[in-house]
Amino acid sequence: MNKNLYNISWQVKETTYREDKALSYSNLSTFNREGFSKLDSLFDPISGPSLTFGSMVDILLTEGLDVYNDTFMVAEIPVLTASRLDIAEELFNTYKDQHKLLESIGKESILAIADKVNFQTNWNNNTRVKKIIEECSDYYNLMVQAKDKIIVSREDHQAAIDCVQALRNSKATSHFFTPPLFSNIENFYQLKFLGKYEDIEVKCMLDLCVVDHENKIIVPVDIKTTFYPEAEFPKAFLKWNYWIQAQLYWYILRQNLDNDPYFKDFELKDFTFLVVSRNHLNPLVWQYPDTKAEVDLEYGDNFKCRNWRKILKELHYYLTEKPKFPIGIKEEGSNNIIEHL
């Protein structure tokens, strides 16, 4: 019997994967984009509407409706300003175990949170509390009902379903999400792998791996959702450092294949992205021919893509040595402005 790719993967729950200290594409991408000054927040949880929506589509596609319903709660979300949303979330995170209704939280406790986020400090305190109760109660109570689930709007829920249907029905992408016609081909979703580069631990979680046992071929795949037309994906590829993801994931998977007697002779194809726009629903397949590159590359108008190996070593140095200044900055003497420009 053919060996199963799952057997050589890192078989842990996603919470364990997230908590592990091995460096990931997210860490490298954030560091490459934000630089030395953002090291203190490098490992903060990353969230946002786009990431949540992408997760909705990924889970529906690769893990099914049961996991989706365990992860998300679909609801009519009250429209709140950013400041009101911050207050509701702060109150919930602080008092969710003691108070199931926002109205039951004491005035002084509400004011303490209001002060913390600088909410309308020029208003009378009674007015501040009244406004918070009036405008934030529905969302607070919704979070109580959701418990550990992520609250998503009905609009986003339907858009996620539409994206999934588009990917499953498109001639370009449907074969990635249907049972293979031949027994020698297997599709594996959300496999996790650990790897090392120069004794630095790295990790990845692949949306999809297509394994062709007969021809000894594996295709690594990632699913991307976007607001922009699918034909404009190369712009997003550069903006969000997706070359780092493609090259790093390929390297980690290749390392695991090389360490296995059965898979070591398999060809690992260039990284593939399946792209769908929630506003256009015309999925496209994009491949990255420089997946195996080991040096910095330049595209377009001198857009420099630093190789992940260089980024990894630099980041590892900062995390272990904890210098006061970035590499190349002199603590004593003068620094040359033109050189650093």
Side-chain angles (χ1 to χ4, degrees):
M1 179 180 288
N2 291 330
K3 190 164 185 178
N4 189 306
L5 188 62
Y6 174 78
N7 293 335
I8 69 167
S9 69
W10 184 27
Q11 298 162 30
V12 296
K13 294 181 179 179
E14 186 167 343
T15 51
T16 303
Y17 172 86
R18 300 293 180 196
E19 292 168 359
D20 190 85
K21 299 301 182 184
L23 294 173
S24 67
Y25 151 69
S26 176
N27 303 141
L28 299 187
S29 177
T30 301
F31 173 64
N32 189 60
R33 187 171 58 251
E34 304 289 346
F36 179 85
S37 62
K38 298 295 183 180
L39 283 174
D40 289 343
S41 58
L42 186 67
F43 295 96
D44 291 351
I46 301 174
S47 61
S50 296
L51 288 174
T52 298
F53 185 76
S55 295
M56 293 165 68
V57 173
D58 282 349
I59 291 174
L60 275 175
L61 265 173
T62 65
E63 299 183 75
L65 191 58
D66 289 342
V67 176
Y68 181 87
N69 289 333
D70 287 339
T71 307
F72 302 103
M73 187 180 86
V74 182
E76 293 292 343
I77 301 177
V79 178
L80 294 178
T81 63
S83 62
R84 269 67 164 181
L85 189 62
D86 287 343
I87 291 170
E89 290 178 345
E90 282 282 350
L91 286 167
F92 175 75
N93 291 332
T94 306
Y95 297 109
K96 60 184 176 183
D97 295 328
Q98 303 103 298
H99 298 278
K100 300 306 177 187
L101 295 173
L102 187 150
E103 299 93 311
S104 68
I105 301 174
K107 173 183 173 181
E108 295 305 318
S109 298
I110 293 175
L111 283 173
I113 298 296
D115 290 340
K116 182 177 179 180
V117 300
N118 295 315
F119 172 71
Q120 301 295 354
T121 53
N122 59 321
W123 287 5
N124 175 279
N125 281 342
N126 289 330
T127 303
R128 296 170 78 200
V129 172
K130 181 183 177 183
K131 276 291 183 183
I132 289 171
I133 292 175
E134 287 177 353
E135 298 182 13
C136 300
S137 289
D138 287 346
Y139 191 65
Y140 180 96
N141 299 340
L142 194 59
M143 286 189 286
V144 170
Q145 183 183 347
K147 297 180 180 178
D148 295 328
K149 295 182 181 181
I150 301 169
I151 303 169
V152 297
S153 69
R154 298 191 188 282
E155 179 185 6
D156 284 347
H157 171 67
Q158 185 58 53
I161 291 174
D162 293 342
C163 285
V164 169
Q165 290 177 340
L167 287 163
R168 285 181 172 160
N169 295 328
S170 166
K171 291 181 179 179
T173 57
S174 60
H175 61 283
F176 288 101
F177 306 106
T178 54
L181 296 175
F182 306 100
S183 59
N184 61 290
I185 296 178
E186 295 179 296
N187 291 344
F188 293 94
Y189 303 103
Q190 303 297 329
L191 289 185
K192 308 169 191 70
F193 293 92
L194 275 173
K196 277 189 177 182
Y197 179 75
E198 295 189 2
D199 292 327
I200 306 171
E201 289 194 337
V202 287
K203 63 183 179 182
C204 70
M205 182 163 62
L206 290 126
D207 284 342
L208 169 62
C209 290
V210 180
V211 182
D212 181 344
H213 291 275
E214 182 177 343
N215 296 298
K216 292 192 172 183
I217 289 172
I218 297 176
V219 181
V221 178
D222 195 77
I223 302 160
K224 296 297 184 190
T225 55
T226 176
F227 287 91
Y228 301 103
E230 293 87 347
E232 296 182 7
F233 177 69
K235 297 178 182 177
F237 179 86
L238 295 179
K239 179 178 180 179
W240 300 110
N241 299 336
Y242 288 150
W243 77 88
I244 298 174
Q245 180 185 19
Q247 294 175 348
L248 175 65
Y249 283 21
W250 189 95
Y251 172 87
I252 296 172
L253 182 53
R254 181 74 264 174
Q255 191 173 75
N256 280 266
L257 298 176
D258 289 342
N259 290 333
D260 184 81
Y262 176 73
F263 284 112
K264 65 182 178 63
D265 296 325
F266 275 59
E267 178 187 2
L268 184 57
K269 292 289 189 178
D270 286 335
F271 206 84
T272 293
F273 294 94
L274 309 184
V275 183
V276 61
S277 165
R278 64 181 289 170
N279 294 328
H280 297 85
L281 301 175
N282 295 307
L284 288 176
V285 178
W286 289 91
Q287 290 183 329
Y288 182 44
D290 284 331
T291 294
K292 305 177 189 66
E294 298 184 14
V295 297
D296 294 347
L297 300 167
E298 287 191 5
Y299 301 120
D301 296 329
N302 296 321
F303 191 100
K304 187 172 183 179
C305 296
R306 299 177 69 209
N307 190 264
W308 67 268
R309 294 163 180 83
K310 181 182 293 186
I311 301 169
L312 178 71
K313 290 170 68 174
E314 187 176 318
L315 176 57
H316 182 258
Y317 165 76
Y318 286 138
L319 294 175
T320 54
E321 300 299 325
K322 303 185 184 305
K324 290 172 61 177
F325 299 101
I327 294 168
I329 297 295
K330 301 173 186 176
E331 185 172 357
E332 297 181 4
S334 62
N335 290 278
N336 188 311
I337 292 175
I338 295 175
E339 284 181 3
H340 287 280
L341 289 174

